[in-house]
Amino acid sequence: MYQPQADFAGLFHAFTGGPGAIGPELTALMLEQQAGNPLLVSTASDIALFPGRGAAPRMESFRKSTRGFIELTAISHLPLAIAYVARRRELAPDDVAGWRTPLQGLLPHIARVRGANVAEMWRQHVNLPAFAGQEAKIAALVAYTLDATEAYVERALVDASLLDFDALAAQYFDPPAGVLPVSMNATMFATFCLAYVDIAFRIGAWLHGSGIDWARAMVLVSGQSGRPTAGVTWSSNSMCNLVWRVSDGRMPADRLYVAPHAPGFSVDQFQDQAALAGLEQTYRRLWMHTRTSVEVSRQMFAHHPAYVFSPDAQRDMPPIHGLDDQAACVARLRRIMEDPQQLLVNCVADYVVDELQRNGNRPGEVPIPGFTNVDYEGLVRG
C-alpha cells in the first residue's frame, strides 16, 4: 500500500489531524464560545431542541409514532398497492397466483377498515386538533376510496385485463367523472395532504412555543429520511422548509444543515440522560465543524462575490394554482415517485406549510385539492 512521504503527511495532518490540529482546535474554540446556542435536531420521525449549557432537551414526534399517520397513509397506499400488483402481473403474466393472491388479500383488509372507519373513530381514537370538525368528511373520503378500490379489485379478479395500466388509468387512477366521481389520484393527494397538515401544524405550534432564538439557532436534519437516496438536500427534505418558514425567516437559512450520515435518535434514548448528553455533543461538533469553514471563508474571501443561499430558489415542485388544479397534483405525485432524491411527503409539504403560514397555523382552513372541494359524504350516501 502506498504511504505518503512522511514530511508531507506531517504538514497535511498539522491542519486536518487529531484534536491538537489547527482545524479541530478552531472548531473546539467555537464550540466552547457558542455552547449556549439552541440546537434543533430533526430526524426521520422526531425533532428535539437542546437549549444549551446542559439544559434538558425537549422533543416532539411525528410520522409513524403519531395518531392518524398510519390510518391516512394506509388509504394513500391503496392505489399504489394496486399499481404494484399490476406491475407484478405485467412482469410475470404466467404466474397467476403471484398477482391474484396479493390482490385478493386486500379485500379482507378493506372490509376490516370499513368496519372501523366511522366519524367517531376519527373523533375519539385519532382525536387530532388538526382534524377538528372534519372527522365525518375524512371518514367519508376513506369510505369512498375503500368502496371504489374494492369494486375495482373484485372486477379485476374476474377480468384480469383491468390490471393493464391503460385500463387502470381510464377507470381507476384518472378516470373521467362519468366513470368515477373522484379519481384515485385525487384521493391519494388528499390523504397525503391531510397527514402532513397534522404534522406541519403540530411541529409548527411546538416550534412557535419553544422560544427559540432563531438568530443563534444551530439546526441539523440528521440521518436517513425516507428512501436511502432521498432528503439529502434543502429542496428534497421537507423539514428544512418547515423550520425556516415557522421561524418567519428569522433563522438565517444557512444555519440549517442536512447531515444524512449523522446519527439519528429515538424516543427511548430520552430516558438515558448520559447517552443524550453525548449525542448532543456529537451534533454540536458536527454542526460547528461544518460552520467553521463557512465563517473562515467569509473573511478569507471578503473582497470577492459571496455565495448566498436562497431557500425559495430551491423549491422546484410544480405550483398548485387552486383546488381544481389536478394536473399539478398528479405532476407532484409522479415527481416524488420518479425522483429518488424526493421524500414522498414532498408532493404536499411545501404547499401545506405555505397555506398554514398564510392563515396563521389554522389547519382546518388549509384548502386541500381532492378533499375541500368534494362532497364525499354525498358520494358515500349515494
Side-chain angles (χ1 to χ4, degrees):
M1 180 184 293
Y2 170 77
Q3 293 294 327
Q5 202 276 339
D7 293 327
F8 284 86
L11 176 58
F12 177 85
H13 291 299
F15 174 62
T16 62
I22 291 171
E25 278 283 292
L26 177 58
T27 298
L29 176 62
M30 292 172 67
L31 264 175
E32 180 184 338
Q33 291 183 345
Q34 299 182 47
N37 284 3
L39 170 68
L40 188 67
V41 182
S42 174
T43 67
S45 58
D46 302 280
I47 188 167
L49 173 63
F50 300 89
R53 300 289 181 194
R58 302 194 293 276
M59 188 191 73
E60 180 72 13
S61 292
F62 55 91
R63 205 167 174 264
K64 291 183 181 178
S65 60
T66 58
R67 298 191 304 273
F69 179 87
I70 293 295
E71 289 84 351
L72 283 167
T73 306
I75 304 306
S76 298
H77 286 173
L78 256 183
L80 288 176
I82 304 301
Y84 272 57
V85 170
R87 180 61 174 153
R88 173 74 166 77
R89 174 179 170 271
E90 188 176 62
L91 291 173
D94 295 333
D95 182 10
V96 176
W99 63 264
R100 281 188 65 89
T101 301
L103 191 64
Q104 202 152 24
L106 288 173
L107 295 176
H109 287 294
I110 289 172
R112 285 193 290 271
V113 170
R114 181 181 287 112
N117 175 54
V118 293
E120 201 59 23
M121 186 279 295
W122 291 98
R123 217 174 271 122
Q124 299 295 328
H125 179 70
V126 175
N127 187 26
L128 288 173
F131 298 161
Q134 300 190 89
E135 295 89 351
K137 185 166 185 175
I138 292 172
L141 160 64
V142 171
Y144 171 81
T145 308
L146 294 173
D147 290 349
T149 302
E150 181 182 62
Y152 200 87
V153 167
E154 289 175 342
R155 290 167 56 210
L157 287 168
V158 175
D159 179 2
S161 70
L162 290 176
L163 290 179
D164 293 342
F165 276 97
D166 285 345
L168 280 164
Q171 300 183 49
Y172 182 70
F173 294 134
D174 199 20
V179 175
L180 201 61
V182 184
S183 73
M184 291 300 102
N185 285 343
T187 63
M188 252 197 306
F189 192 85
T191 45
F192 267 126
C193 255
L194 284 164
Y196 196 74
V197 162
D198 169 62
I199 290 172
F201 166 69
R202 285 188 301 100
I203 298 301
W206 183 80
L207 289 170
H208 276 304
S210 295
I212 298 172
D213 182 349
W214 289 108
R216 296 167 47 239
M218 305 160 63
V219 186
L220 274 179
V221 176
S222 185
Q224 180 180 329
S225 296
R227 295 174 286 190
T229 54
V232 299
T233 63
W234 183 292
S235 64
S236 63
N237 197 300
S238 57
M239 189 54 68
C240 301
N241 184 54
L242 174 57
V243 172
W244 182 67
R245 290 299 308 276
V246 168
S247 80
D248 295 321
R250 288 174 292 153
M251 180 194 79
D254 63 5
R255 294 184 70 84
L256 187 156
Y257 301 129
V258 180
H261 302 296
F265 59 82
S266 67
V267 177
D268 295 340
Q269 287 178 278
F270 277 71
Q271 311 306 315
D272 186 339
Q273 296 304 310
L276 260 184
L279 191 59
E280 177 182 354
Q281 290 311 306
T282 296
Y283 288 137
R284 287 184 179 275
R285 280 192 299 271
L286 191 158
W287 191 95
M288 197 60 73
H289 175 76
T290 306
R291 189 69 178 180
T292 301
S293 69
V294 173
E295 295 191 3
V296 168
S297 174
R298 286 174 177 170
Q299 293 178 285
M300 185 176 178
F301 306 113
H303 301 295
H304 296 268
Y307 165 70
V308 179
F309 177 77
S310 170
D312 286 330
Q314 305 298 308
R315 301 172 65 174
D316 55 0
M317 283 287 164
I320 297 174
H321 297 294
L323 285 171
D324 296 317
D325 192 358
Q326 184 68 9
C329 297
V330 175
R332 284 168 167 251
L333 288 168
R334 180 166 184 167
R335 172 69 185 277
I336 61 162
M337 291 187 67
E338 290 188 13
D339 182 356
Q341 300 176 83
Q342 300 296 330
L343 301 177
L344 296 180
V345 74
N346 286 351
C347 69
V348 300
D350 65 316
Y351 172 78
V352 168
V353 170
D354 286 353
E355 291 298 328
L356 281 171
Q357 292 304 304
R358 190 174 292 122
N359 71 30
N361 210 33
R362 293 188 290 272
E365 296 180 19
V366 173
I368 299 175
F371 180 72
T372 304
N373 53 337
V374 179
D375 178 15
Y376 283 105
E377 293 169 273
L379 290 176
V380 172
R381 282 197 301 270

